[in-house]
Amino acid sequence: MVIEEKEFGTYSDGTKVKLYTITNRNGMSISVTDLGAALVKALVPDKNGVAADVVLGFDRAEDYLDNPSFFGVVIGPSANRIAGASFEIDGCTYRIDVNDGENNLHSHRTEGYHKRIWKAEVQEDGVIFMLEDNGSMGFPGKKTATVRYALTDDNELILRYHGDCDRKTILNFTNHTYFNLDGHDSGSMEEHELWLGASRYTPVAPGAIPTGEIAAVEGTPMDFTTPKTVGRDIRVDFEQLELTGGYDHNWVIDDWDGSLRCFATVRAPKSGRIMKAFTTLPGVQFYAGNFIDEQKGKEGAYYGARGGLCLETQYFPDSVHHSEFPSCVFGEGKEYCSETIYKFEY
């Protein structure tokens, strides 16, 4: 494994931002940065041995300071939505940033972990990013968070998360990478074929807040238990798709017990690339990039709606308000640990 380090730009306070590139013996490489602990690049060979960058992003750190679509970043301390931008733990009410209608999305748009500089430590097969947070954004407690990126010679991109807090708090990390297996500059990924090992999902009300119901996907456009293209049903007259402009929901991973299991397979017919996804977490937010603003990305490419898809492993959105959902309350000795793997084949 070869790991290279170089400057990637400058943070708003003048700090030099670093980019770390990890290359395996197959010629696959990933590049990650200490700004937002973001995955910036993933060069993956196709069936002919031709490598392409399969994640959306930017060429320099300064563009990640804006990044309205959250390309590639780690979200924390709380990914996804919290209703009413407030929550209660042990009788104490905590109010957080109102930034998505009347709700909270991804903790805070300017102060969340995706906008911070993480401390980096290079290891034999990857990079570990570390962050300390003393009760910011309204989330209680002094928190520590780590995210470790590793690359194997089996073309596995491994993300291991750990978090702890001296008080009970919400810890629900995810990575917000957008994948396009034909290449980040290939336009729409609606022809990608998706299988999800999830026979249920969590329907939402207006504002994309879960209703609390856990519903079967069978007989609906939400059913990916048999592989189909992302675009096949995305425009079907179905209330859940209309509420979110397409797929942007939490799927409940079948038979979740905290062990690592395969929950998704993505196939790109054009390039022949395949990505299999594994996680120890109970849910995945499949987002079809419905609202990617038109913008300039890496290497002069222009991105737009449906240019990439996200498979954001997570505890369910707004789980703090739904006792029937797996709890994302950690701290006071209960540590957060999870693992997600994206494995590339052809």
Side-chain angles (χ1 to χ4, degrees), residues 254-328:
D254 287 340
D255 302 318
W256 174 70
D257 60 4
S259 63
L260 187 69
R261 62 180 62 248
C262 183
F263 69 88
T265 300
V266 184
R267 298 175 185 268
K270 181 179 176 182
S271 66
R273 293 187 185 89
I274 299 169
M275 183 179 77
K276 295 181 179 178
F278 305 76
T279 193
T280 60
L281 289 165
V284 57
Q285 189 84 9
F286 164 44
Y287 175 46
N290 310 315
F291 298 107
I292 300 174
D293 294 330
E294 290 194 10
Q295 59 193 288
K296 187 176 180 180
K298 287 180 288 189
E299 302 169 333
Y302 280 87
Y303 302 145
R306 310 255 164 81
L309 63 85
C310 300
L311 294 172
E312 306 161 57
T313 55
Q314 62 183 2
Y315 285 91
F316 303 169
D318 199 36
S319 62
V320 73
H321 290 131
H322 298 280
S323 60
E324 66 274 25
F325 291 175
S327 175
C328 62

Side-chain angles (χ1 to χ4, degrees), residues 87-94:
F87 59 92
E88 183 177 298
I89 297 177
D90 291 346
C92 293
T93 299
Y94 301 95

Side-chain angles (χ1 to χ4, degrees), residues 28 30 39 41-42 44 53-57 71-72 157 159 175-184 187-190 192 230 263 266 275-277 286-289 292 306-312 340-344:
M28 178 180 167
I30 63 166
L39 175 63
K41 184 180 292 188
V44 180
D53 183 1
V54 300
V55 302
L56 278 59
F71 293 142
L157 168 58
L159 289 82
N175 179 280
H176 211 295
T177 291
Y178 293 74
F179 295 98
N180 186 320
L181 298 185
D182 288 329
H184 74 101
S188 173
M189 55 74 225
E190 288 190 29
H192 282 31
V230 172
F263 69 88
V266 184
M275 183 179 77
K276 295 181 179 178
F286 164 44
Y287 175 46
I292 300 174
R306 310 255 164 81
L309 63 85
C310 300
L311 294 172
E312 306 161 57
T340 294
I341 299 174
Y342 300 104
K343 183 177 182 179
F344 297 90

Side-chain angles (χ1 to χ4, degrees), residues 135-184:
S136 68
M137 298 173 279
F139 293 89
K142 183 177 181 180
K143 293 171 281 294
T144 59
T146 63
V147 181
R148 185 178 186 273
Y149 287 92
L151 179 64
T152 75
D153 286 327
D154 291 323
N155 289 357
E156 295 171 316
L157 168 58
I158 302 174
L159 289 82
R160 292 192 178 103
Y161 302 83
H162 181 267
D164 200 3
C165 188
D166 62 355
R167 296 174 62 185
K168 289 183 181 178
T169 194
I170 292 176
L171 295 177
N172 189 14
F173 307 119
T174 199
N175 179 280
H176 211 295
T177 291
Y178 293 74
F179 295 98
N180 186 320
L181 298 185
D182 288 329
H184 74 101

Side-chain angles (χ1 to χ4, degrees), residues 23-263:
T23 304
N24 70 11
R25 66 183 180 187
N26 305 317
M28 178 180 167
S29 70
I30 63 166
S31 297
V32 292
T33 179
D34 50 6
L35 174 51
L39 175 63
V40 172
K41 184 180 292 188
L43 283 172
V44 180
D46 66 7
K47 58 189 175 183
N48 299 313
V50 178
D53 183 1
V54 300
V55 302
L56 278 59
F58 303 108
D59 289 321
R60 59 191 197 123
E62 288 81 354
D63 293 320
Y64 283 90
L65 294 174
D66 186 16
N67 193 14
S69 297
F70 301 90
F71 293 142
V73 292
V74 168
I75 306 293
S78 177
N80 218 304
R81 291 175 172 85
I82 297 176
S86 68
F87 59 92
E88 183 177 298
I89 297 177
D90 291 346
C92 293
T93 299
Y94 301 95
R95 303 194 183 282
I96 52 180
D97 192 42
V98 180
N99 60 17
D100 189 56
E102 62 184 15
N103 306 310
N104 176 268
L105 174 64
H106 296 332
S107 301
H108 200 288
R109 292 189 182 272
T110 59
E111 298 175 17
Y113 293 177
H114 65 290
K115 289 293 179 70
R116 301 200 190 183
I117 296 289
W118 295 57
K119 181 180 177 182
E121 178 183 305
V122 176
Q123 300 187 325
E124 184 176 350
D125 61 347
V127 180
I128 187 167
F129 294 109
M130 297 160 280
L131 189 68
E132 293 186 351
D133 173 21
N134 192 12
S136 68
M137 298 173 279
F139 293 89
K142 183 177 181 180
K143 293 171 281 294
T144 59
T146 63
V147 181
R148 185 178 186 273
Y149 287 92
L151 179 64
T152 75
D153 286 327
D154 291 323
N155 289 357
E156 295 171 316
L157 168 58
I158 302 174
L159 289 82
R160 292 192 178 103
Y161 302 83
H162 181 267
D164 200 3
C165 188
D166 62 355
R167 296 174 62 185
K168 289 183 181 178
T169 194
I170 292 176
L171 295 177
N172 189 14
F173 307 119
T174 199
N175 179 280
H176 211 295
T177 291
Y178 293 74
F179 295 98
N180 186 320
L181 298 185
D182 288 329
H184 74 101
D185 54 355
S186 298
S188 173
M189 55 74 225
E190 288 190 29
E191 292 305 309
H192 282 31
E193 183 182 88
L194 174 66
W195 168 82
L196 289 175
S199 55
R200 298 176 299 162
Y201 77 109
T202 52
V204 298
I209 297 294
T211 63
E213 179 186 7
I214 296 178
V217 301
E218 186 177 6
T220 78
M222 314 303 279
D223 190 351
F224 286 88
T225 57
T226 298
K228 66 180 180 181
T229 63
V230 172
R232 193 188 82 176
D233 295 331
I234 202 166
R235 295 173 182 84
V236 167
D237 181 13
F238 184 67
E239 182 185 28
Q240 286 296 306
L241 295 178
E242 293 170 358
L243 285 171
T244 54
Y247 296 113
D248 188 11
H249 293 74
N250 172 71
W251 270 258
V252 178
I253 294 171
D254 287 340
D255 302 318
W256 174 70
D257 60 4
S259 63
L260 187 69
R261 62 180 62 248
C262 183
F263 69 88

